[in-house]
Every structure is written in C-alpha cells, then in structure tokens.
Amino acid sequence: MQQSIKLSVDAVVFGYESGTISVLLIKRKYEPFIGEWAIPGGFVLDHESLEQAVERELKEETGIEIDYLEQLYTFGNPKRDPRSRVVSVAYFGLIKPSTFKILASTDAEEAQWFKINELPSLSFDHDHILESAISRLRSKITYEPIGFELLDNKFPFSDLEKLYTTLLGRPIDRRNFRKKILSLNVLDELDEKISKGSGRPANLFKFNHKRYFALKKKGIIFEI
C-alpha cells in the first residue's frame, strides 16, 4: 500500500529575561488556521535534514537563528493537520529574547513573544506540543544545569536562583540549591560585588564553560 505521509518540523523557542519566561509564536498568514497563532515550523524539503529544515523555518518565519535546538518528540496523530496526514518532529530551545530581533516573513503574518502564563489558543495540535516542551524543559533543568547563557556574563547567585525558580514554576530550597550548584565546580566566584536594594553587596559569579562541558562529557550528577 502506497503511503501519502508528509513530514514537518516545529520549533518551540522559550525566552527567559528578568524573571519572565516567554514562548515565541507566529500568526499564520494562510489557511488552514489563517490569522491564528502557532508554533513556528513547516514542511521538510526533499534535500534537507531535519535540523536544516527547523533552522530554515525558524529563520524564515521569525528571523531568529539558534545554534542549538534539542529534539523534543515526534507527533503523528492522523488528524493533527486538516490538509493531509502530517507527522511533525518538534524541537525546543532556550534563548535570551533581547539578543534577537524577530521578523515575520514567508507564511507568518506576525511573530511575537507571549508570557508562558498568558498564551493564546494555538492551531493544529500545538497546545499539546507546547505542553510537552514545557514538561521536558522543567524535567531537564532538574538533572542538568542549563540556562547559564541566559544570565549576564557576571551575575549574583540570586539571579541564578531566580532563573531556576522561574523555569521550574515553583520555589526551590535555596540553601540546598546553592550547595549543589557550587559542588559542581562550574562557577567561578569573582572578587567583585554588586549592590541590589538595601541589602549587603553580593559576590558576583561567572560560568566556566570549559569545566561544565568536561563535566557533561563525564556525565553530570545533579538533582534539584
């Protein structure tokens, strides 16, 4: 029996800044779901790899280029796309929105950041894809220290705590968190301080990429 299945990719891009987590969405220019919000994505061309396709679609629809997107899951409900049978391979990434300028083009009428707790309803099965991406992100950061690139080059430890609290969507045990992070030896404590509010000046830290990747190669043991 001959198959008539098409292949697409979708990109869930999370943005973190100033204690707020957002999701990058596009407003569709054409049917189906014209004028509705969706996750950036589209069909894979015959000559492309999956990675090339998701990078191209993200660039075309939002203007954003990301060095690394992690594969999330394959979504294949037969009725997920009203046009035909379409299987989608979804990816997700985490960036700092202020470092990018979004620009909608091709089949996207508009591209916009939405706070994660103020999302519009999405077309296709993109609500389900987004829920899966949020779950994966929150699971991943409990066993691997990610997201340091979202902080300033030099930062007080409280900024790292805020990042994790925001991404997890729940409070953390601050003392235990600090102990675990420092035990990984991926932060360099600097001889510099910063004053915030009326409290005592806080020491600044810097992320050590070399030690982090060496540790990751060996296998990180980290759990919040």
Side-chain angles (χ1 to χ4, degrees), residues 90-115:
Y91 290 76
F92 77 101
L94 185 61
I95 67 172
K96 195 171 184 177
S98 63
T99 60
F100 296 88
K101 182 178 180 180
I102 57 176
L103 178 66
S105 61
T106 62
D107 58 348
E109 180 182 325
E110 186 180 343
Q112 184 178 323
W113 288 102
F114 286 86
K115 292 181 180 179

mmCIF file with all atom_site columns, all heavy atoms in Angstrom, residues 90-115:
data_model
loop_
_atom_site.group_PDB
_atom_site.id
_atom_site.type_symbol
_atom_site.label_atom_id
_atom_site.label_alt_id
_atom_site.label_comp_id
_atom_site.label_asym_id
_atom_site.label_entity_id
_atom_site.label_seq_id
_atom_site.pdbx_PDB_ins_code
_atom_site.Cartn_x
_atom_site.Cartn_y
_atom_site.Cartn_z
_atom_site.occupancy
_atom_site.B_iso_or_equiv
_atom_site.pdbx_formal_charge
_atom_site.auth_seq_id
_atom_site.auth_comp_id
_atom_site.auth_asym_id
_atom_site.auth_atom_id
_atom_site.pdbx_PDB_model_num
ATOM 1   N N   . ALA A 1 90  ? 9.234  17.752 16.543 1.00 0.00 ? 90  ALA A N   1
ATOM 2   C CA  . ALA A 1 90  ? 9.325  19.031 17.251 1.00 0.00 ? 90  ALA A CA  1
ATOM 3   C C   . ALA A 1 90  ? 10.676 19.186 17.952 1.00 0.00 ? 90  ALA A C   1
ATOM 4   O O   . ALA A 1 90  ? 11.258 18.207 18.430 1.00 0.00 ? 90  ALA A O   1
ATOM 5   C CB  . ALA A 1 90  ? 8.197  19.145 18.266 1.00 0.00 ? 90  ALA A CB  1
ATOM 6   N N   . TYR A 1 91  ? 11.133 20.423 18.008 1.00 0.00 ? 91  TYR A N   1
ATOM 7   C CA  . TYR A 1 91  ? 12.385 20.781 18.684 1.00 0.00 ? 91  TYR A CA  1
ATOM 8   C C   . TYR A 1 91  ? 12.091 21.885 19.687 1.00 0.00 ? 91  TYR A C   1
ATOM 9   O O   . TYR A 1 91  ? 11.080 22.576 19.602 1.00 0.00 ? 91  TYR A O   1
ATOM 10  C CB  . TYR A 1 91  ? 13.417 21.281 17.660 1.00 0.00 ? 91  TYR A CB  1
ATOM 11  C CG  . TYR A 1 91  ? 13.957 20.224 16.738 1.00 0.00 ? 91  TYR A CG  1
ATOM 12  C CD1 . TYR A 1 91  ? 13.201 19.741 15.674 1.00 0.00 ? 91  TYR A CD1 1
ATOM 13  C CD2 . TYR A 1 91  ? 15.228 19.698 16.924 1.00 0.00 ? 91  TYR A CD2 1
ATOM 14  C CE1 . TYR A 1 91  ? 13.695 18.763 14.832 1.00 0.00 ? 91  TYR A CE1 1
ATOM 15  C CE2 . TYR A 1 91  ? 15.740 18.718 16.075 1.00 0.00 ? 91  TYR A CE2 1
ATOM 16  C CZ  . TYR A 1 91  ? 14.967 18.259 15.033 1.00 0.00 ? 91  TYR A CZ  1
ATOM 17  O OH  . TYR A 1 91  ? 15.458 17.291 14.206 1.00 0.00 ? 91  TYR A OH  1
ATOM 18  N N   . PHE A 1 92  ? 13.020 22.064 20.647 1.00 0.00 ? 92  PHE A N   1
ATOM 19  C CA  . PHE A 1 92  ? 12.864 23.190 21.566 1.00 0.00 ? 92  PHE A CA  1
ATOM 20  C C   . PHE A 1 92  ? 14.224 23.779 21.899 1.00 0.00 ? 92  PHE A C   1
ATOM 21  O O   . PHE A 1 92  ? 15.262 23.117 21.830 1.00 0.00 ? 92  PHE A O   1
ATOM 22  C CB  . PHE A 1 92  ? 12.115 22.774 22.837 1.00 0.00 ? 92  PHE A CB  1
ATOM 23  C CG  . PHE A 1 92  ? 12.934 21.993 23.837 1.00 0.00 ? 92  PHE A CG  1
ATOM 24  C CD1 . PHE A 1 92  ? 13.470 22.610 24.959 1.00 0.00 ? 92  PHE A CD1 1
ATOM 25  C CD2 . PHE A 1 92  ? 13.167 20.636 23.654 1.00 0.00 ? 92  PHE A CD2 1
ATOM 26  C CE1 . PHE A 1 92  ? 14.214 21.893 25.879 1.00 0.00 ? 92  PHE A CE1 1
ATOM 27  C CE2 . PHE A 1 92  ? 13.908 19.908 24.570 1.00 0.00 ? 92  PHE A CE2 1
ATOM 28  C CZ  . PHE A 1 92  ? 14.435 20.541 25.693 1.00 0.00 ? 92  PHE A CZ  1
ATOM 29  N N   . GLY A 1 93  ? 14.210 25.069 22.247 1.00 0.00 ? 93  GLY A N   1
ATOM 30  C CA  . GLY A 1 93  ? 15.427 25.775 22.610 1.00 0.00 ? 93  GLY A CA  1
ATOM 31  C C   . GLY A 1 93  ? 15.110 26.864 23.612 1.00 0.00 ? 93  GLY A C   1
ATOM 32  O O   . GLY A 1 93  ? 13.950 27.220 23.827 1.00 0.00 ? 93  GLY A O   1
ATOM 33  N N   . LEU A 1 94  ? 16.152 27.425 24.199 1.00 0.00 ? 94  LEU A N   1
ATOM 34  C CA  . LEU A 1 94  ? 16.008 28.430 25.253 1.00 0.00 ? 94  LEU A CA  1
ATOM 35  C C   . LEU A 1 94  ? 16.970 29.569 24.958 1.00 0.00 ? 94  LEU A C   1
ATOM 36  O O   . LEU A 1 94  ? 18.185 29.349 24.826 1.00 0.00 ? 94  LEU A O   1
ATOM 37  C CB  . LEU A 1 94  ? 16.332 27.779 26.600 1.00 0.00 ? 94  LEU A CB  1
ATOM 38  C CG  . LEU A 1 94  ? 16.151 28.574 27.887 1.00 0.00 ? 94  LEU A CG  1
ATOM 39  C CD1 . LEU A 1 94  ? 14.704 28.982 28.070 1.00 0.00 ? 94  LEU A CD1 1
ATOM 40  C CD2 . LEU A 1 94  ? 16.600 27.724 29.083 1.00 0.00 ? 94  LEU A CD2 1
ATOM 41  N N   . ILE A 1 95  ? 16.440 30.805 24.829 1.00 0.00 ? 95  ILE A N   1
ATOM 42  C CA  . ILE A 1 95  ? 17.272 31.941 24.459 1.00 0.00 ? 95  ILE A CA  1
ATOM 43  C C   . ILE A 1 95  ? 16.942 33.169 25.304 1.00 0.00 ? 95  ILE A C   1
ATOM 44  O O   . ILE A 1 95  ? 15.969 33.188 26.049 1.00 0.00 ? 95  ILE A O   1
ATOM 45  C CB  . ILE A 1 95  ? 17.119 32.310 22.964 1.00 0.00 ? 95  ILE A CB  1
ATOM 46  C CG1 . ILE A 1 95  ? 15.700 32.841 22.691 1.00 0.00 ? 95  ILE A CG1 1
ATOM 47  C CG2 . ILE A 1 95  ? 17.440 31.136 22.069 1.00 0.00 ? 95  ILE A CG2 1
ATOM 48  C CD1 . ILE A 1 95  ? 15.504 33.406 21.301 1.00 0.00 ? 95  ILE A CD1 1
ATOM 49  N N   . LYS A 1 96  ? 17.761 34.192 25.134 1.00 0.00 ? 96  LYS A N   1
ATOM 50  C CA  . LYS A 1 96  ? 17.531 35.485 25.761 1.00 0.00 ? 96  LYS A CA  1
ATOM 51  C C   . LYS A 1 96  ? 16.938 36.407 24.692 1.00 0.00 ? 96  LYS A C   1
ATOM 52  O O   . LYS A 1 96  ? 17.639 36.797 23.750 1.00 0.00 ? 96  LYS A O   1
ATOM 53  C CB  . LYS A 1 96  ? 18.856 36.047 26.290 1.00 0.00 ? 96  LYS A CB  1
ATOM 54  C CG  . LYS A 1 96  ? 18.718 37.192 27.266 1.00 0.00 ? 96  LYS A CG  1
ATOM 55  C CD  . LYS A 1 96  ? 20.069 37.503 27.877 1.00 0.00 ? 96  LYS A CD  1
ATOM 56  C CE  . LYS A 1 96  ? 19.950 38.591 28.931 1.00 0.00 ? 96  LYS A CE  1
ATOM 57  N NZ  . LYS A 1 96  ? 21.251 38.856 29.595 1.00 0.00 ? 96  LYS A NZ  1
ATOM 58  N N   . PRO A 1 97  ? 15.643 36.749 24.775 1.00 0.00 ? 97  PRO A N   1
ATOM 59  C CA  . PRO A 1 97  ? 14.975 37.496 23.698 1.00 0.00 ? 97  PRO A CA  1
ATOM 60  C C   . PRO A 1 97  ? 15.651 38.794 23.285 1.00 0.00 ? 97  PRO A C   1
ATOM 61  O O   . PRO A 1 97  ? 15.620 39.155 22.109 1.00 0.00 ? 97  PRO A O   1
ATOM 62  C CB  . PRO A 1 97  ? 13.580 37.766 24.288 1.00 0.00 ? 97  PRO A CB  1
ATOM 63  C CG  . PRO A 1 97  ? 13.353 36.639 25.230 1.00 0.00 ? 97  PRO A CG  1
ATOM 64  C CD  . PRO A 1 97  ? 14.707 36.377 25.848 1.00 0.00 ? 97  PRO A CD  1
ATOM 65  N N   . SER A 1 98  ? 16.252 39.518 24.226 1.00 0.00 ? 98  SER A N   1
ATOM 66  C CA  . SER A 1 98  ? 16.828 40.827 23.900 1.00 0.00 ? 98  SER A CA  1
ATOM 67  C C   . SER A 1 98  ? 18.022 40.727 22.959 1.00 0.00 ? 98  SER A C   1
ATOM 68  O O   . SER A 1 98  ? 18.430 41.732 22.372 1.00 0.00 ? 98  SER A O   1
ATOM 69  C CB  . SER A 1 98  ? 17.251 41.550 25.184 1.00 0.00 ? 98  SER A CB  1
ATOM 70  O OG  . SER A 1 98  ? 18.264 40.829 25.858 1.00 0.00 ? 98  SER A OG  1
ATOM 71  N N   . THR A 1 99  ? 18.576 39.532 22.799 1.00 0.00 ? 99  THR A N   1
ATOM 72  C CA  . THR A 1 99  ? 19.729 39.364 21.902 1.00 0.00 ? 99  THR A CA  1
ATOM 73  C C   . THR A 1 99  ? 19.292 39.079 20.465 1.00 0.00 ? 99  THR A C   1
ATOM 74  O O   . THR A 1 99  ? 20.128 38.921 19.586 1.00 0.00 ? 99  THR A O   1
ATOM 75  C CB  . THR A 1 99  ? 20.648 38.227 22.391 1.00 0.00 ? 99  THR A CB  1
ATOM 76  O OG1 . THR A 1 99  ? 19.908 37.002 22.423 1.00 0.00 ? 99  THR A OG1 1
ATOM 77  C CG2 . THR A 1 99  ? 21.173 38.509 23.786 1.00 0.00 ? 99  THR A CG2 1
ATOM 78  N N   . PHE A 1 100 ? 17.988 39.012 20.227 1.00 0.00 ? 100 PHE A N   1
ATOM 79  C CA  . PHE A 1 100 ? 17.465 38.723 18.892 1.00 0.00 ? 100 PHE A CA  1
ATOM 80  C C   . PHE A 1 100 ? 16.442 39.771 18.467 1.00 0.00 ? 100 PHE A C   1
ATOM 81  O O   . PHE A 1 100 ? 15.727 40.318 19.297 1.00 0.00 ? 100 PHE A O   1
ATOM 82  C CB  . PHE A 1 100 ? 16.784 37.341 18.859 1.00 0.00 ? 100 PHE A CB  1
ATOM 83  C CG  . PHE A 1 100 ? 17.710 36.185 19.109 1.00 0.00 ? 100 PHE A CG  1
ATOM 84  C CD1 . PHE A 1 100 ? 17.944 35.752 20.407 1.00 0.00 ? 100 PHE A CD1 1
ATOM 85  C CD2 . PHE A 1 100 ? 18.342 35.537 18.063 1.00 0.00 ? 100 PHE A CD2 1
ATOM 86  C CE1 . PHE A 1 100 ? 18.793 34.680 20.655 1.00 0.00 ? 100 PHE A CE1 1
ATOM 87  C CE2 . PHE A 1 100 ? 19.182 34.470 18.296 1.00 0.00 ? 100 PHE A CE2 1
ATOM 88  C CZ  . PHE A 1 100 ? 19.414 34.042 19.593 1.00 0.00 ? 100 PHE A CZ  1
ATOM 89  N N   . LYS A 1 101 ? 16.361 39.994 17.173 1.00 0.00 ? 101 LYS A N   1
ATOM 90  C CA  . LYS A 1 101 ? 15.324 40.854 16.619 1.00 0.00 ? 101 LYS A CA  1
ATOM 91  C C   . LYS A 1 101 ? 14.400 39.980 15.788 1.00 0.00 ? 101 LYS A C   1
ATOM 92  O O   . LYS A 1 101 ? 14.835 39.365 14.808 1.00 0.00 ? 101 LYS A O   1
ATOM 93  C CB  . LYS A 1 101 ? 15.942 41.951 15.736 1.00 0.00 ? 101 LYS A CB  1
ATOM 94  C CG  . LYS A 1 101 ? 14.898 42.909 15.164 1.00 0.00 ? 101 LYS A CG  1
ATOM 95  C CD  . LYS A 1 101 ? 15.561 43.998 14.327 1.00 0.00 ? 101 LYS A CD  1
ATOM 96  C CE  . LYS A 1 101 ? 14.514 44.957 13.762 1.00 0.00 ? 101 LYS A CE  1
ATOM 97  N NZ  . LYS A 1 101 ? 15.130 46.031 12.942 1.00 0.00 ? 101 LYS A NZ  1
ATOM 98  N N   . ILE A 1 102 ? 13.129 39.871 16.197 1.00 0.00 ? 102 ILE A N   1
ATOM 99  C CA  . ILE A 1 102 ? 12.212 38.992 15.476 1.00 0.00 ? 102 ILE A CA  1
ATOM 100 C C   . ILE A 1 102 ? 11.627 39.713 14.269 1.00 0.00 ? 102 ILE A C   1
ATOM 101 O O   . ILE A 1 102 ? 11.372 40.918 14.292 1.00 0.00 ? 102 ILE A O   1
ATOM 102 C CB  . ILE A 1 102 ? 11.094 38.459 16.395 1.00 0.00 ? 102 ILE A CB  1
ATOM 103 C CG1 . ILE A 1 102 ? 10.310 39.595 17.054 1.00 0.00 ? 102 ILE A CG1 1
ATOM 104 C CG2 . ILE A 1 102 ? 11.673 37.528 17.433 1.00 0.00 ? 102 ILE A CG2 1
ATOM 105 C CD1 . ILE A 1 102 ? 9.145  39.109 17.888 1.00 0.00 ? 102 ILE A CD1 1
ATOM 106 N N   . LEU A 1 103 ? 11.448 38.941 13.185 1.00 0.00 ? 103 LEU A N   1
ATOM 107 C CA  . LEU A 1 103 ? 10.938 39.490 11.934 1.00 0.00 ? 103 LEU A CA  1
ATOM 108 C C   . LEU A 1 103 ? 10.154 38.411 11.213 1.00 0.00 ? 103 LEU A C   1
ATOM 109 O O   . LEU A 1 103 ? 10.711 37.408 10.772 1.00 0.00 ? 103 LEU A O   1
ATOM 110 C CB  . LEU A 1 103 ? 12.099 39.985 11.054 1.00 0.00 ? 103 LEU A CB  1
ATOM 111 C CG  . LEU A 1 103 ? 11.709 40.540 9.684  1.00 0.00 ? 103 LEU A CG  1
ATOM 112 C CD1 . LEU A 1 103 ? 10.892 41.820 9.841  1.00 0.00 ? 103 LEU A CD1 1
ATOM 113 C CD2 . LEU A 1 103 ? 12.961 40.805 8.846  1.00 0.00 ? 103 LEU A CD2 1
ATOM 114 N N   . ALA A 1 104 ? 8.852  38.587 11.097 1.00 0.00 ? 104 ALA A N   1
ATOM 115 C CA  . ALA A 1 104 ? 7.998  37.600 10.438 1.00 0.00 ? 104 ALA A CA  1
ATOM 116 C C   . ALA A 1 104 ? 8.087  37.730 8.924  1.00 0.00 ? 104 ALA A C   1
ATOM 117 O O   . ALA A 1 104 ? 8.172  38.829 8.388  1.00 0.00 ? 104 ALA A O   1
ATOM 118 C CB  . ALA A 1 104 ? 6.554  37.783 10.887 1.00 0.00 ? 104 ALA A CB  1
ATOM 119 N N   . SER A 1 105 ? 8.068  36.573 8.226  1.00 0.00 ? 105 SER A N   1
ATOM 120 C CA  . SER A 1 105 ? 8.048  36.573 6.764  1.00 0.00 ? 105 SER A CA  1
ATOM 121 C C   . SER A 1 105 ? 7.474  35.243 6.291  1.00 0.00 ? 105 SER A C   1
ATOM 122 O O   . SER A 1 105 ? 6.935  34.478 7.082  1.00 0.00 ? 105 SER A O   1
ATOM 123 C CB  . SER A 1 105 ? 9.455  36.804 6.187  1.00 0.00 ? 105 SER A CB  1
ATOM 124 O OG  . SER A 1 105 ? 10.326 35.783 6.601  1.00 0.00 ? 105 SER A OG  1
ATOM 125 N N   . THR A 1 106 ? 7.602  34.926 5.023  1.00 0.00 ? 106 THR A N   1
ATOM 126 C CA  . THR A 1 106 ? 7.023  33.744 4.353  1.00 0.00 ? 106 THR A CA  1
ATOM 127 C C   . THR A 1 106 ? 5.554  33.598 4.748  1.00 0.00 ? 106 THR A C   1
ATOM 128 O O   . THR A 1 106 ? 4.776  34.493 4.502  1.00 0.00 ? 106 THR A O   1
ATOM 129 C CB  . THR A 1 106 ? 7.829  32.450 4.645  1.00 0.00 ? 106 THR A CB  1
ATOM 130 O OG1 . THR A 1 106 ? 7.792  32.172 6.045  1.00 0.00 ? 106 THR A OG1 1
ATOM 131 C CG2 . THR A 1 106 ? 9.253  32.595 4.187  1.00 0.00 ? 106 THR A CG2 1
ATOM 132 N N   . ASP A 1 107 ? 5.166  32.464 5.387  1.00 0.00 ? 107 ASP A N   1
ATOM 133 C CA  . ASP A 1 107 ? 3.744  32.260 5.683  1.00 0.00 ? 107 ASP A CA  1
ATOM 134 C C   . ASP A 1 107 ? 3.359  32.721 7.081  1.00 0.00 ? 107 ASP A C   1
ATOM 135 O O   . ASP A 1 107 ? 2.314  32.335 7.602  1.00 0.00 ? 107 ASP A O   1
ATOM 136 C CB  . ASP A 1 107 ? 3.353  30.794 5.470  1.00 0.00 ? 107 ASP A CB  1
ATOM 137 C CG  . ASP A 1 107 ? 4.162  29.839 6.325  1.00 0.00 ? 107 ASP A CG  1
ATOM 138 O OD1 . ASP A 1 107 ? 5.173  30.267 6.905  1.00 0.00 ? 107 ASP A OD1 1
ATOM 139 O OD2 . ASP A 1 107 ? 3.766  28.661 6.408  1.00 0.00 ? 107 ASP A OD2 1
ATOM 140 N N   . ALA A 1 108 ? 4.211  33.551 7.706  1.00 0.00 ? 108 ALA A N   1
ATOM 141 C CA  . ALA A 1 108 ? 3.888  34.121 9.016  1.00 0.00 ? 108 ALA A CA  1
ATOM 142 C C   . ALA A 1 108 ? 3.541  35.599 8.859  1.00 0.00 ? 108 ALA A C   1
ATOM 143 O O   . ALA A 1 108 ? 4.321  36.378 8.305  1.00 0.00 ? 108 ALA A O   1
ATOM 144 C CB  . ALA A 1 108 ? 5.070  33.959 9.966  1.00 0.00 ? 108 ALA A CB  1
ATOM 145 N N   . GLU A 1 109 ? 2.360  35.984 9.316  1.00 0.00 ? 109 GLU A N   1
ATOM 146 C CA  . GLU A 1 109 ? 1.932  37.378 9.240  1.00 0.00 ? 109 GLU A CA  1
ATOM 147 C C   . GLU A 1 109 ? 2.595  38.216 10.330 1.00 0.00 ? 109 GLU A C   1
ATOM 148 O O   . GLU A 1 109 ? 2.869  39.399 10.148 1.00 0.00 ? 109 GLU A O   1
ATOM 149 C CB  . GLU A 1 109 ? 0.409  37.450 9.389  1.00 0.00 ? 109 GLU A CB  1
ATOM 150 C CG  . GLU A 1 109 ? -0.168 38.849 9.316  1.00 0.00 ? 109 GLU A CG  1
ATOM 151 C CD  . GLU A 1 109 ? -1.672 38.846 9.514  1.00 0.00 ? 109 GLU A CD  1
ATOM 152 O OE1 . GLU A 1 109 ? -2.331 37.882 9.066  1.00 0.00 ? 109 GLU A OE1 1
ATOM 153 O OE2 . GLU A 1 109 ? -2.188 39.792 10.123 1.00 0.00 ? 109 GLU A OE2 1
ATOM 154 N N   . GLU A 1 110 ? 2.875  37.555 11.474 1.00 0.00 ? 110 GLU A N   1
ATOM 155 C CA  . GLU A 1 110 ? 3.416  38.262 12.633 1.00 0.00 ? 110 GLU A CA  1
ATOM 156 C C   . GLU A 1 110 ? 4.173  37.271 13.511 1.00 0.00 ? 110 GLU A C   1
ATOM 157 O O   . GLU A 1 110 ? 3.844  36.086 13.549 1.00 0.00 ? 110 GLU A O   1
ATOM 158 C CB  . GLU A 1 110 ? 2.261  38.889 13.418 1.00 0.00 ? 110 GLU A CB  1
ATOM 159 C CG  . GLU A 1 110 ? 2.655  39.784 14.586 1.00 0.00 ? 110 GLU A CG  1
ATOM 160 C CD  . GLU A 1 110 ? 1.427  40.352 15.293 1.00 0.00 ? 110 GLU A CD  1
ATOM 161 O OE1 . GLU A 1 110 ? 0.329  40.320 14.706 1.00 0.00 ? 110 GLU A OE1 1
ATOM 162 O OE2 . GLU A 1 110 ? 1.579  40.801 16.444 1.00 0.00 ? 110 GLU A OE2 1
ATOM 163 N N   . ALA A 1 111 ? 5.190  37.737 14.211 1.00 0.00 ? 111 ALA A N   1
ATOM 164 C CA  . ALA A 1 111 ? 5.906  36.927 15.192 1.00 0.00 ? 111 ALA A CA  1
ATOM 165 C C   . ALA A 1 111 ? 5.932  37.710 16.502 1.00 0.00 ? 111 ALA A C   1
ATOM 166 O O   . ALA A 1 111 ? 6.180  38.916 16.501 1.00 0.00 ? 111 ALA A O   1
ATOM 167 C CB  . ALA A 1 111 ? 7.334  36.634 14.722 1.00 0.00 ? 111 ALA A CB  1
ATOM 168 N N   . GLN A 1 112 ? 5.668  37.024 17.598 1.00 0.00 ? 112 GLN A N   1
ATOM 169 C CA  . GLN A 1 112 ? 5.544  37.738 18.871 1.00 0.00 ? 112 GLN A CA  1
ATOM 170 C C   . GLN A 1 112 ? 5.877  36.826 20.046 1.00 0.00 ? 112 GLN A C   1
ATOM 171 O O   . GLN A 1 112 ? 5.616  35.627 20.026 1.00 0.00 ? 112 GLN A O   1
ATOM 172 C CB  . GLN A 1 112 ? 4.105  38.254 19.006 1.00 0.00 ? 112 GLN A CB  1
ATOM 173 C CG  . GLN A 1 112 ? 3.848  39.096 20.242 1.00 0.00 ? 112 GLN A CG  1
ATOM 174 C CD  . GLN A 1 112 ? 2.410  39.611 20.276 1.00 0.00 ? 112 GLN A CD  1
ATOM 175 O OE1 . GLN A 1 112 ? 1.839  39.954 19.243 1.00 0.00 ? 112 GLN A OE1 1
ATOM 176 N NE2 . GLN A 1 112 ? 1.819  39.655 21.453 1.00 0.00 ? 112 GLN A NE2 1
ATOM 177 N N   . TRP A 1 113 ? 6.464  37.432 21.087 1.00 0.00 ? 113 TRP A N   1
ATOM 178 C CA  . TRP A 1 113 ? 6.715  36.720 22.340 1.00 0.00 ? 113 TRP A CA  1
ATOM 179 C C   . TRP A 1 113 ? 5.470  36.789 23.224 1.00 0.00 ? 113 TRP A C   1
ATOM 180 O O   . TRP A 1 113 ? 4.869  37.845 23.356 1.00 0.00 ? 113 TRP A O   1
ATOM 181 C CB  . TRP A 1 113 ? 7.889  37.347 23.089 1.00 0.00 ? 113 TRP A CB  1
ATOM 182 C CG  . TRP A 1 113 ? 9.223  37.099 22.468 1.00 0.00 ? 113 TRP A CG  1
ATOM 183 C CD1 . TRP A 1 113 ? 9.958  37.970 21.718 1.00 0.00 ? 113 TRP A CD1 1
ATOM 184 C CD2 . TRP A 1 113 ? 9.996  35.892 22.552 1.00 0.00 ? 113 TRP A CD2 1
ATOM 185 N NE1 . TRP A 1 113 ? 11.134 37.389 21.328 1.00 0.00 ? 113 TRP A NE1 1
ATOM 186 C CE2 . TRP A 1 113 ? 11.194 36.117 21.826 1.00 0.00 ? 113 TRP A CE2 1
ATOM 187 C CE3 . TRP A 1 113 ? 9.797  34.658 23.165 1.00 0.00 ? 113 TRP A CE3 1
ATOM 188 C CZ2 . TRP A 1 113 ? 12.175 35.147 21.690 1.00 0.00 ? 113 TRP A CZ2 1
ATOM 189 C CZ3 . TRP A 1 113 ? 10.770 33.682 23.040 1.00 0.00 ? 113 TRP A CZ3 1
ATOM 190 C CH2 . TRP A 1 113 ? 11.951 33.917 22.315 1.00 0.00 ? 113 TRP A CH2 1
ATOM 191 N N   . PHE A 1 114 ? 5.101  35.660 23.821 1.00 0.00 ? 114 PHE A N   1
ATOM 192 C CA  . PHE A 1 114 ? 3.994  35.600 24.766 1.00 0.00 ? 114 PHE A CA  1
ATOM 193 C C   . PHE A 1 114 ? 4.476  35.028 26.095 1.00 0.00 ? 114 PHE A C   1
ATOM 194 O O   . PHE A 1 114 ? 5.190  34.021 26.108 1.00 0.00 ? 114 PHE A O   1
ATOM 195 C CB  . PHE A 1 114 ? 2.874  34.696 24.245 1.00 0.00 ? 114 PHE A CB  1
ATOM 196 C CG  . PHE A 1 114 ? 2.064  35.290 23.132 1.00 0.00 ? 114 PHE A CG  1
ATOM 197 C CD1 . PHE A 1 114 ? 2.488  35.167 21.809 1.00 0.00 ? 114 PHE A CD1 1
ATOM 198 C CD2 . PHE A 1 114 ? 0.888  35.968 23.400 1.00 0.00 ? 114 PHE A CD2 1
ATOM 199 C CE1 . PHE A 1 114 ? 1.741  35.715 20.772 1.00 0.00 ? 114 PHE A CE1 1
ATOM 200 C CE2 . PHE A 1 114 ? 0.130  36.516 22.374 1.00 0.00 ? 114 PHE A CE2 1
ATOM 201 C CZ  . PHE A 1 114 ? 0.564  36.394 21.056 1.00 0.00 ? 114 PHE A CZ  1
ATOM 202 N N   . LYS A 1 115 ? 4.100  35.684 27.197 1.00 0.00 ? 115 LYS A N   1
ATOM 203 C CA  . LYS A 1 115 ? 4.431  35.130 28.506 1.00 0.00 ? 115 LYS A CA  1
ATOM 204 C C   . LYS A 1 115 ? 3.778  33.764 28.645 1.00 0.00 ? 115 LYS A C   1
ATOM 205 O O   . LYS A 1 115 ? 2.655  33.544 28.169 1.00 0.00 ? 115 LYS A O   1
ATOM 206 C CB  . LYS A 1 115 ? 3.944  36.061 29.621 1.00 0.00 ? 115 LYS A CB  1
ATOM 207 C CG  . LYS A 1 115 ? 4.696  37.383 29.676 1.00 0.00 ? 115 LYS A CG  1
ATOM 208 C CD  . LYS A 1 115 ? 4.186  38.257 30.813 1.00 0.00 ? 115 LYS A CD  1
ATOM 209 C CE  . LYS A 1 115 ? 4.944  39.583 30.850 1.00 0.00 ? 115 LYS A CE  1
ATOM 210 N NZ  . LYS A 1 115 ? 4.447  40.475 31.932 1.00 0.00 ? 115 LYS A NZ  1
#
